[in-house]
Amino acid sequence: MRLDNQRESQNVEDRRGGTMLRGSVGIGTLVIALAASYFLGIDPALIMDSGSGTSTPSPAGRPARAPATKDEMTSFVSRVLGSTEIVWHDIFQQAGRRYQEPKLVLFTGATPTACGTGRSALGPFYCPADQKVYIDLAFYRDLQERFRAPGEFAQAYVIAHEVAHHVQNLLGISAKIHAAQQGGGRQAAANELSVRLELQADCFAGVWGHRADTMQQIVEPGEMEQALAAAAAIGDDRLQRQTQGQVVPESFTHGTSRQRVRWFKRGMDSGDVRQCDTFSPESL
């Protein structure tokens, strides 16, 4: 990616090098959490804390600070976040609204969040309660080695997807969906709403990619395919086949590989958030 001229965001909080949180979590809870969140979940820490019966207090009021060590990956993450800020400020301004920038927290192992204890084993996630994106940069090694999705644009897609959950939070979409999920209906229906929310986040991530490239020409030849490969690698069907040897559509929470690629590409091709309505179509 061409990010040399992109400013670094000041909304990065580096907690790496601190004391790792310790707690008691049963293997059953871990399995449930992994199955429920898979990858790029909204706030998987909620699942972990509900299983352990404890909740780690949020570091409320703690100001974001610049990364302690300006390593190459930290700089990359800061520049990608800065790019999302430019794009979403522009989109919100055009709609007559004000965009509130999220914070991005770098951590190692585990860290306290307003949603409970965030753990690197569950992948990057967004916590709506404190409006922060959390990521252990070791995840990018898994993205390349486990998910076979190398490349900088694939890494940027991960951040853009979580920032998209922040956008959904600001627009009130997440709250409506979560309220509907708590309505006492079937679990399969709640899962379908989760799928639609995740696919919209994929589409929003594509909108960011389109607009960022239009504004600053950040995408190198062939990098579009990197992001598509990342989206395909994390489809529920593919992950279930890898982890349990069979596919159970009723338990999907993020969408199939084909769906994730389709909606990310839809946003990337159009650059139009109005093309990201995943809640109206009968077929995704």
Side-chain angles (χ1 to χ4, degrees):
M1 292 180 70
R2 294 186 287 262
L3 294 172
D4 291 344
N5 295 325
Q6 173 64 53
R7 70 168 179 82
E8 294 189 14
S9 172
Q10 298 303 303
N11 289 311
V12 176
E13 179 182 341
D14 196 342
R15 299 183 188 173
R16 294 172 298 173
T19 302
M20 182 179 293
L21 297 174
R22 301 183 183 276
S24 176
V25 178
I27 185 65
T29 301
L30 178 60
V31 170
I32 293 172
L34 288 173
S37 63
Y38 283 122
F39 174 85
L40 300 179
I42 299 174
D43 52 358
L46 286 172
I47 304 168
M48 299 298 292
D49 285 324
S50 66
S52 64
T54 62
S55 177
T56 305
S58 167
R62 178 187 295 176
R65 57 187 174 88
T69 56
K70 281 290 184 179
D71 57 90
E72 184 177 344
M73 184 54 69
T74 301
S75 179
F76 171 79
V77 168
S78 299
R79 291 178 190 275
V80 171
L81 183 63
S83 176
T84 67
E85 290 167 355
I86 291 173
V87 167
W88 287 110
H89 270 299
D90 185 60
I91 292 174
F92 271 59
Q93 184 177 29
Q94 290 177 11
R97 303 181 61 136
R98 186 174 69 87
Y99 179 63
Q100 297 172 299
E101 298 172 355
K103 300 294 191 293
L104 187 149
V105 178
L106 301 176
F107 71 99
T108 301
T111 192
T113 84
C115 296
T117 302
R119 303 177 188 277
S120 59
L122 299 178
F125 65 95
Y126 171 69
C127 173
D130 58 21
Q131 298 191 4
K132 293 182 179 182
V133 172
Y134 292 84
I135 182 171
D136 184 332
L137 293 181
F139 173 77
Y140 283 143
R141 182 175 61 249
D142 292 335
L143 189 65
Q144 178 174 341
E145 297 176 0
R146 178 185 173 190
F147 296 105
R148 300 291 188 266
E152 289 185 336
F153 199 45
Q155 295 170 348
Y157 156 75
V158 172
I159 297 171
H161 177 97
E162 298 308 330
V163 170
H165 283 310
H166 175 65
V167 172
Q168 291 172 318
N169 186 36
L170 294 180
L171 296 177
I173 298 171
S174 300
K176 290 179 180 178
I177 296 305
H178 293 155
Q181 289 175 319
Q182 298 299 317
R186 296 180 300 108
Q187 184 60 47
N191 288 347
E192 182 179 353
L193 287 173
S194 177
V195 166
R196 292 178 182 270
L197 194 69
E198 293 293 334
L199 294 180
Q200 185 180 65
D202 282 332
C203 187
F204 282 174
V207 169
W208 160 77
H210 176 101
R211 296 217 177 193
D213 192 46
T214 299
M215 291 176 174
Q216 297 180 304
Q217 294 76 52
I218 65 171
V219 182
E220 300 274 12
E223 288 189 321
M224 170 67 168
E225 288 71 23
Q226 294 176 0
L228 293 176
I234 56 176
D236 283 329
D237 53 339
R238 182 168 176 178
L239 288 173
Q240 286 189 357
R241 196 173 289 112
Q242 290 176 346
T243 58
Q244 61 191 38
Q246 62 179 345
V247 175
V248 185
E250 294 79 10
S251 66
F252 288 174
T253 56
H254 287 68
T256 67
S257 294
R258 183 175 181 179
Q259 288 171 333
R260 301 202 72 165
V261 167
R262 177 191 175 197
W263 283 98
F264 174 78
K265 193 171 186 300
R266 184 165 182 167
M268 189 74 187
D269 288 344
S270 68
D272 185 356
V273 293
R274 293 172 297 182
Q275 298 297 317
C276 296
D277 179 8
T278 57
F279 297 99
S280 296
E282 289 187 12
S283 176
L284 295 169

